[in-house]
Amino acid sequence: MAVMNTLTLPDAPAAVATNEGSIFFIGNATVLIRVAGFTILTDPTFIHKHEQTWLGGGLHTTRLTDPAMELADLPPLDLVLLSHFHGDHFDQVAERDLDRTLPIVTTPQSANDLEERGFTNCIPLDVWESVNVEKGSARLLITATPARHGPPLVDFVLPDVMGSVLDVTRADGGASRIYITGDTLVIDELREIPRRFPDIDIALLHLGGTRVLGILVSMDAKQGVEAMRIVDPALAIPIHYNDYDVFTSPLSDFQEEVRAAGLEDRVHYLSHGETYTF
């Protein structure tokens, strides 16, 4: 694992509690993570129900839900964590309204796409590369993990994707480890994640069984449970499951697979607008 560089942020105000964390589910893969004084936004998509965004290759997808929060109502952000550059993960609202100087941690390919659109603080990570983020005495290490947005050959026409592990060290010395899958299928390379990063506290699973031209390009219910078994988090939270019309595997399918696997005590379900506190 190579640490590429260090990003130093302004210290957190004294009034900010740094001994607990929260995950607020905005919709799709967009969550607001607050931990140790850091405020992180993932995969920002803020278009509304019935609006369309792009998938590349002339393809579009229609949103079926509304986001639980508007971009304009977000708290001050420290950084954006972007798994890949697709419209259902970085849409036209994000492109128009996000602060173009905000740090965005993403793949090299997505960093290039964003820089072409005027974003000036992209931090590209190849697989297993890391960036160290410092805020006062708190530390956040973000490491890019393997992900593949489609089966062999098909993934060549899809954007590069990264999963990510967030290792947080609080000012009081406590630590948390969060894994975000990104839009991936279950691939052999995922087995390296628990070897390098054991004791994952929380995993955010991108599910939905996304199909583009009939081809599965994100985990369905069965693959979601298989990913849980591989990575072995203490707790899994499914996201990215009902927001766009390209999804074919509803949350109810995953709930059934979780029950069949006897893993109910290892999963927490969030509806849009709900918060998980840890």
Side-chain angles (χ1 to χ4, degrees):
M1 182 178 68
V3 178
M4 299 303 296
N5 51 31
T6 295
L7 175 64
T8 302
L9 302 172
D11 198 356
V16 174
T18 58
N19 60 349
E20 68 176 30
S22 66
I23 296 172
F24 176 72
F25 185 30
I26 295 173
N28 203 45
T30 311
V31 300
L32 191 67
I33 301 172
R34 302 194 204 205
V35 59
F38 295 102
T39 303
I40 303 157
L41 181 70
T42 69
D43 295 72
T45 177
F46 289 92
I47 64 169
H48 288 176
K49 187 175 182 179
H50 304 311
E51 294 181 333
Q52 287 192 334
T53 192
W54 58 276
L55 291 177
L59 300 174
H60 291 78
T61 181
T62 300
R63 186 152 192 173
L64 306 176
T65 65
D66 285 318
M69 176 182 283
E70 302 298 329
L71 189 151
D73 296 327
L74 290 170
L77 301 173
D78 289 310
L79 60 90
V80 171
L81 182 58
L82 177 62
S83 62
H84 65 295
F85 191 63
H86 252 167
D88 61 326
H89 291 256
F90 197 100
D91 65 15
Q92 54 267 37
V93 177
E95 183 175 338
R96 183 189 68 215
D97 294 340
L98 266 182
D99 179 355
R100 280 172 157 67
T101 67
L102 194 64
I104 302 177
V105 180
T106 189
T107 67
Q109 183 186 68
S110 296
N112 287 336
D113 289 331
L114 290 167
E115 287 166 356
E116 289 175 357
R117 289 159 175 80
F119 290 88
T120 61
N121 199 1
C122 297
I123 301 170
L125 296 180
D126 282 317
V127 176
W128 304 127
E129 289 183 342
S130 303
V131 59
N132 183 53
V133 187
E134 299 181 351
K135 189 173 186 179
S137 56
R139 299 290 183 270
L140 167 64
L141 186 70
I142 301 174
T143 303
T145 60
R148 195 177 68 210
H149 203 353
L153 300 182
V154 172
D155 68 306
F156 284 114
V157 300
L158 293 167
D160 294 340
V161 179
M162 73 177 197
S164 51
V165 170
L166 284 63
D167 278 312
V168 183
T169 304
R170 301 192 307 268
D172 64 4
S176 302
R177 174 169 283 169
I178 301 171
Y179 167 55
I180 306 173
T181 64
D183 279 15
T184 187
L185 301 178
V186 171
I187 55 176
D188 288 342
E189 291 86 344
L190 295 186
R191 301 184 185 281
E192 182 65 19
I193 295 172
R195 288 194 280 267
R196 295 183 184 230
F197 297 97
D199 303 319
I200 291 171
D201 297 301
I202 300 170
L204 299 180
L205 307 177
H206 289 207
L207 299 179
T210 311
R211 288 186 181 271
V212 177
L213 300 178
I215 299 169
L216 187 70
V217 296
S218 74
M219 291 188 293
D220 59 11
K222 288 183 181 295
Q223 289 204 5
V225 169
E226 186 179 354
M228 280 186 64
R229 292 192 184 281
I230 292 170
V231 179
D232 195 29
L235 186 75
I237 299 175
I239 58 175
H240 191 272
Y241 55 75
N242 72 338
D243 293 275
Y244 286 92
D245 62 1
V246 288
F247 294 161
T248 64
S249 181
L251 183 63
S252 58
D253 286 358
F254 180 68
Q255 291 170 323
E256 290 178 10
E257 292 292 336
V258 166
R259 284 192 294 269
L263 294 172
E264 296 102 317
D265 61 337
R266 301 273 297 276
V267 180
H268 183 84
Y269 297 102
L270 286 178
S271 297
H272 296 51
E274 291 185 340
T275 299
Y276 175 73
T277 303
F278 58 96

